[in-house]
């Protein structure tokens, strides 16, 4: 009987189990819940995970709900859902780990002899490599920011890059960030999963409170991917036109205070346009943040009056190009 962690893969059934990775300071094991649904017929294995950043809850909730709603009678292959990949960070409601201060999505491939987060990254990557044919990586703006619904994938001339883009074009959004390996992103899980020959797409959606719309968008992205892979019946959506964004500019605050956005996610701004400002507790503007480039898609923005500190990531502006449907 095939196992994913302690979860059995049984044709036509749903099973639950754990990935046990490391222990807390009191010796309690860190056990990551795993949800497995297997069809009666052979097919690919798709792995969907959330909460690499512990305060991005929409992905976790949507994986759970999707698993509950999935009909194994319609399924070919295997669905694997891991709602929370970074349990210490999730419990602390934090983007980074309270154990070692690491951003898990910047330290892959990890180190089996390193700190907890490094060991976690190594173990997760090894498990995915042994298990998955395709991977979907769920993210959001977390507690302090909002992002629109869009896909991220690394498109290059490799077969895995082409398959990733093909899948991204069928998952329900007409916006795709074609990542070129921006500075500081070489330690992401997606980069290293793709290095192992597994097509991978990141889904970004929402932030702050998880709305019903966020949940439905996350769930629909899984279903669309599984229809594209012929794991479920039906035809995935193909957009008439895609907005492709690349070469991201990350904006960081220079001053602490309250952030006041001057634009919304999904807006297209030009160089010099005001994106937001920092207001101190006397109500004075101490800093203005302006768009660094022309024709830039606002892919993330901090919440209104969110407390910020110097050096905090507060917005993402990504130049766009428009292209017709080449799916």
């Amino acid at each position: 009987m095939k196992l994913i962690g302690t979860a059995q893969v049984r044709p036509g059934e749903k099973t639950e189990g754990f990935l046990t990775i490391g222990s807390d300071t009191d010796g309690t094991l860190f056990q990551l819940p795993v949800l497995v649904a297997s069809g009666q017929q052979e097919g690919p294995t798709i792995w969907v995970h959330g909460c690499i950043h512990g305060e991005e809850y929409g992905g976790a909730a949507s994986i759970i709900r999707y698993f509950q709603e999935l009909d194994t009678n319609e399924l070919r292959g295997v669905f694997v859902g891991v709602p929370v990949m970074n349990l210490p960070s999730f419990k602390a409601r934090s983007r980074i780990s309270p154990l070692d201060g690491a951003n898990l999505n910047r330290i892959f491939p990890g180190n089996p002899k390193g700190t907890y987060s490094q060991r976690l990254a190594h173990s997760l990557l090894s498990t995915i490599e042994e298990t998955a044919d395709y991977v979907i990586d769920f993210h959001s703006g977390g507690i302090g920011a909002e992002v629109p619904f869009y896909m991220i994938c690394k498109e290059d001339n490799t077969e895995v890059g082409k398959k990733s883009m093909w899948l991204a074009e069928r998952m329900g959004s007409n916006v795709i960030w074609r990542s070129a390996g921006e500075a500081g992103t070489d330690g992401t899980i997606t980069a290293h999963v793709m290095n192992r020959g597994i097509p991978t797409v990141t889904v970004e959606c929402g932030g702050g409170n998880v709305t019903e719309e966020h949940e439905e968008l996350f769930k629909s992205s899984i279903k669309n991917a599984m229809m594209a892979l012929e794991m479920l019946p039906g035809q995935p959506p193909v957009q008439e036109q895609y907005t492709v964004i690349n070469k991201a500019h990350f904006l960081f605050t220079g001053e602490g205070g309250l952030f006041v956005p001057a634009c919304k996610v999904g807006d297209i701004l030009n160089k010099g346009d005001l994106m937001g400002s920092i207001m101190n507790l006397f109500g004075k503007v101490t800093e203005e943040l302006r768009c660094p480039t022309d024709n830039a898609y606002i892919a993330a923005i901090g919440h209104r009056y969110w407390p910020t500190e110097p050096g905090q990531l507060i917005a993402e502006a990504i130049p766009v190009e428009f292209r017709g449907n080449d799916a």
Side-chain angles (χ1 to χ4, degrees):
M1 179 76 66
K2 182 178 179 181
L3 294 175
I4 302 172
T6 63
Q8 296 181 346
V9 181
R10 297 198 295 259
E13 296 185 28
K14 294 180 180 179
T15 60
E16 302 172 358
F18 294 98
L19 295 174
T20 301
I21 303 175
S23 57
D24 207 341
T25 51
D26 62 356
T28 304
L29 298 177
F30 286 118
Q31 294 186 307
L32 282 57
V34 179
L35 309 173
V36 176
S38 181
Q40 293 282 5
Q41 302 180 59
E42 294 291 324
T45 295
I46 189 167
W47 171 295
V48 188
H49 63 248
C51 276
I52 276 187
H53 295 135
E55 30 78 275
E56 297 178 1
Y57 310 120
S62 302
I63 290 169
I64 295 166
R65 292 302 190 193
Y66 184 83
F67 175 75
Q68 291 173 333
E69 297 166 7
L70 182 59
D71 184 353
T72 57
N73 292 321
E74 297 183 335
L75 176 62
R76 291 180 61 251
V78 178
F79 167 86
V80 180
V82 183
V84 176
M85 294 273 269
N86 191 346
L87 197 56
S89 179
F90 174 79
K91 291 167 67 177
R93 299 174 175 83
S94 172
R95 181 178 176 85
I96 62 174
S97 173
L99 300 184
D100 52 21
N103 179 341
L104 179 60
N105 206 34
R106 295 296 183 270
I107 62 171
F108 285 88
N111 182 345
K113 297 183 179 180
T115 66
Y116 174 76
S117 295
Q118 292 168 336
R119 293 173 188 235
L120 175 62
H122 173 81
S123 182
L124 290 172
L125 191 58
S126 297
T127 303
I128 289 172
E129 186 174 14
E130 294 167 358
T131 304
D133 297 307
Y134 297 88
V135 170
I136 299 177
D137 173 39
F138 277 171
H139 286 268
S140 77
I143 293 175
E146 180 185 0
V147 300
F149 176 56
Y150 67 98
M151 309 297 155
I152 307 175
C153 70
K154 182 179 180 182
E155 185 188 35
D156 51 29
N157 291 324
T158 66
E159 191 63 28
V160 68
K162 293 175 182 177
K163 285 184 178 178
S164 298
M165 179 59 77
W166 175 88
L167 189 60
E169 289 173 336
R170 287 158 175 80
M171 289 174 62
S173 176
N174 63 356
V175 179
I176 301 175
W177 178 354
R178 186 176 61 199
S179 173
E182 284 81 357
T185 63
D186 55 342
T188 63
I189 190 170
T190 53
H192 287 275
V193 168
M194 289 183 67
N195 287 344
R196 284 153 174 77
I198 303 171
T200 306
V201 178
T202 293
V203 180
E204 293 272 4
C205 182
N209 291 331
V210 182
T211 67
E212 291 183 7
E213 180 185 9
H214 298 157
E215 179 187 334
E216 291 304 316
L217 288 169
F218 275 127
K219 290 191 300 183
S220 68
S221 70
I222 307 174
K223 183 177 181 180
N224 292 337
M226 293 177 71
M227 288 192 296
L229 298 171
E230 299 182 353
M231 297 178 69
L232 291 175
Q235 294 296 319
V238 177
Q239 310 299 320
E240 292 184 1
Q241 180 171 280
Y242 292 91
T243 298
V244 179
I245 60 180
N246 53 55
K247 298 180 181 177
H249 295 268
F250 300 106
L251 281 81
F252 299 86
T253 56
E255 300 289 337
L258 302 178
F259 179 67
V260 185
C263 62
K264 303 185 299 295
V265 292
D267 285 351
I268 305 291
L269 301 186
N270 290 312
K271 186 173 182 178
D273 288 346
L274 183 65
M275 297 179 65
S277 58
I278 302 296
M279 179 180 74
N280 67 19
L281 299 186
F282 293 102
K284 296 178 180 178
V285 173
T286 59
E287 180 183 12
E288 292 184 339
L289 294 101
R290 296 187 176 273
C291 187
T293 186
D294 286 332
N295 197 30
Y297 180 85
I298 305 307
I301 196 79
H303 290 306
R304 185 175 179 83
Y305 298 141
W306 189 257
T308 64
E309 58 193 22
Q312 183 170 327
L313 176 64
I314 201 66
E316 297 174 7
I318 311 178
V320 304
E321 62 185 63
F322 294 89
R323 69 178 186 183
N325 175 18
D326 61 358

